[in-house]
Amino acid sequence: MVEFGSFVGYTATRMGRAVELCYEKGYADGSILFEDSRLQGANRITSMEIDPVHACIARHVLDMSRLSHIVEVWIGQVKDLIPRLIEEHGEMSLNMVFMDQRGTTFHDDLSQLEELSLMFPNCRIVADNCVKPGSPVYCWHTTVSERYKTTNYSLNEFLESTIEDWQVVCDYLGPLAGVPAAGRPSPWEAPRGRESQSERRTGRRNTGCSFGSACLSSGPEPFFAWLEATGGDFSCRVSWEVPF
């Protein structure tokens, strides 16, 4: 699992404790053998934080909770740390992603996760604060793309009962979800289009769709129609300079 935006480590601590309880139950009923446990020598949750002061506080909280063997806090921008995930854990290593960083970068970070093939099929992605400060491109992509099964929850902002916000929960169905079997390229066939960052790095071609492919051929009109249908109450300004 990975968290974008640690702040002071509250969510990381809650997730780490849930993982610890899951393993304790598995050890007790024999469904998880300790010698086979991936908990040995590798963290199960990676949390990323750009502010070094917040990261140090989060690490201290995790140390006090005795969860530092499960949760690790990395310092830096998410876009710079995502490639490190594939270096340390490999492809399809994520089964959950929690996005709690700046909402206007959600779509860029999700695109990078897709390009590097980091998400295992049925990986659950939870994105917070999708209306304020706003992530309309991310909401559009996860709602219309056949690769995601998405539910948008309308919630009140924390301690602000009059302010509406969204939490978007979606399951990643895989890079070929929605593509007819007859139209899928064979593993040995290179798809058309430019090489992605992961393809240049690994020398292999990605057979998945590009980010936002649902509206590649339709232009900006469907996006803005969807934006108007949702009420258009996104805090950030949206232009057509988006990566699809």
Side-chain angles (χ1 to χ4, degrees), residues 221-243:
E221 290 78 11
F223 171 73
F224 289 112
W226 171 85
L227 193 65
E228 183 177 359
T230 61
D233 187 23
F234 287 91
S235 298
C236 64
R237 298 182 60 85
V238 182
S239 67
W240 184 235
E241 296 178 359
V242 291

Side-chain angles (χ1 to χ4, degrees), residues 95-110:
N95 59 8
M96 181 179 176
V97 178
F98 179 53
M99 295 186 174
D100 197 18
Q101 75 279 35
R102 187 176 60 180
T104 52
T105 66
F106 283 178
H107 60 281
D108 288 330
D109 299 330
L110 182 64

Side-chain angles (χ1 to χ4, degrees), residues 156-224:
N156 292 329
E157 183 64 32
F158 181 65
L159 296 180
E160 296 289 346
S161 60
T162 60
I163 299 178
E164 180 189 9
D165 202 352
W166 287 3
Q167 188 171 85
V168 178
V169 180
C170 54
D171 294 329
Y172 178 64
L173 304 180
L176 297 180
V179 179
R184 296 182 183 181
S186 301
W188 56 85
E189 294 177 345
R192 298 177 182 177
R194 61 182 178 84
E195 291 185 337
S196 67
Q197 179 180 351
S198 62
E199 293 165 353
R200 291 193 298 270
R201 185 182 59 79
T202 62
R204 290 177 293 176
R205 299 303 301 269
N206 187 353
T207 59
C209 304
S210 60
F211 183 82
S213 59
C215 55
L216 270 171
S217 60
S218 56
E221 290 78 11
F223 171 73
F224 289 112

Side-chain angles (χ1 to χ4, degrees), residues 26 37-38 74 82 103 123 134 149-151 172 176 244:
S37 172
R38 292 183 60 190
W74 294 353
I82 287 178
C123 171
K149 182 180 179 181
T150 304
T151 303
Y172 178 64
L176 297 180
F244 49 72

Side-chain angles (χ1 to χ4, degrees), residues 71-112:
V71 186
E72 189 173 28
V73 180
W74 294 353
I75 300 176
Q77 290 191 353
V78 170
K79 65 179 181 179
D80 297 327
L81 293 176
I82 287 178
R84 181 179 167 187
L85 288 171
I86 197 168
E87 293 176 358
E88 297 201 9
H89 302 289
E91 293 184 347
M92 296 189 178
S93 57
L94 299 180
N95 59 8
M96 181 179 176
V97 178
F98 179 53
M99 295 186 174
D100 197 18
Q101 75 279 35
R102 187 176 60 180
T104 52
T105 66
F106 283 178
H107 60 281
D108 288 330
D109 299 330
L110 182 64
S111 176
Q112 196 172 11

Side-chain angles (χ1 to χ4, degrees), residues 22-37:
C22 179
Y23 272 88
E24 287 180 357
K25 181 180 178 181
Y27 297 149
D29 60 22
S31 59
I32 300 177
L33 299 179
F34 183 77
E35 56 269 21
D36 296 333
S37 172

